[in-house]
Amino acid sequence: WFAERSDLILILFDAHKLDISDELKEVMANLRGHDDKVRIVLNKSDQVTPKQLMRVYGALMWNLGKVLRSPEVTRIYISSFWSRPYAEPGAV
């Protein structure tokens, strides 16, 4: 019911933990039909090197592809949301 009332739905993933639990799979299945509101965010991206970030991004895309079952590629927003300087030089 919350998806119908929401303007935007953020699903955050940690760059160090990309597992998609059964509970999250169920939530994402319930969000079908509200795809225009859902945004996938990869957080803490400054804590990995650019090379590791590409691997993490690819792994997240692979995991999401199995859950979302959409012919379209999912857009993933990459950032780090905290007030400290970025941990990895040259990060996002």
Side-chain angles (χ1 to χ4, degrees):
W1 58 268
F2 72 93
E4 295 171 3
R5 297 183 176 126
S6 299
D7 294 325
L8 186 65
I9 302 165
L10 298 175
I11 301 176
L12 282 99
F13 287 91
D14 188 314
H16 297 286
K17 187 174 184 284
L18 299 175
D19 297 335
I20 299 178
S21 66
D22 291 336
E23 292 85 6
L24 183 56
K25 287 179 186 176
E26 186 177 334
V27 167
M28 294 176 87
N30 289 327
L31 291 176
R32 287 196 180 105
H34 300 283
D35 301 335
D36 57 323
K37 299 178 183 182
V38 176
R39 301 293 183 271
I40 307 293
V41 179
L42 179 58
N43 193 20
K44 299 183 182 178
S45 60
D46 69 314
Q47 296 180 9
V48 295
T49 65
K51 188 174 183 177
Q52 291 170 328
L53 181 59
M54 292 306 295
R55 288 186 184 137
V56 168
Y57 180 84
L60 182 56
M61 290 289 287
W62 178 264
N63 290 340
L64 286 172
K66 292 189 280 186
V67 174
L68 296 177
R69 297 183 184 150
S70 172
E72 296 180 19
V73 175
T74 303
R75 177 176 287 175
I76 299 175
Y77 297 88
I78 301 173
S79 192
S80 187
F81 299 101
W82 63 348
S83 59
R84 299 181 202 149
Y86 288 149
E88 182 66 34
V92 179

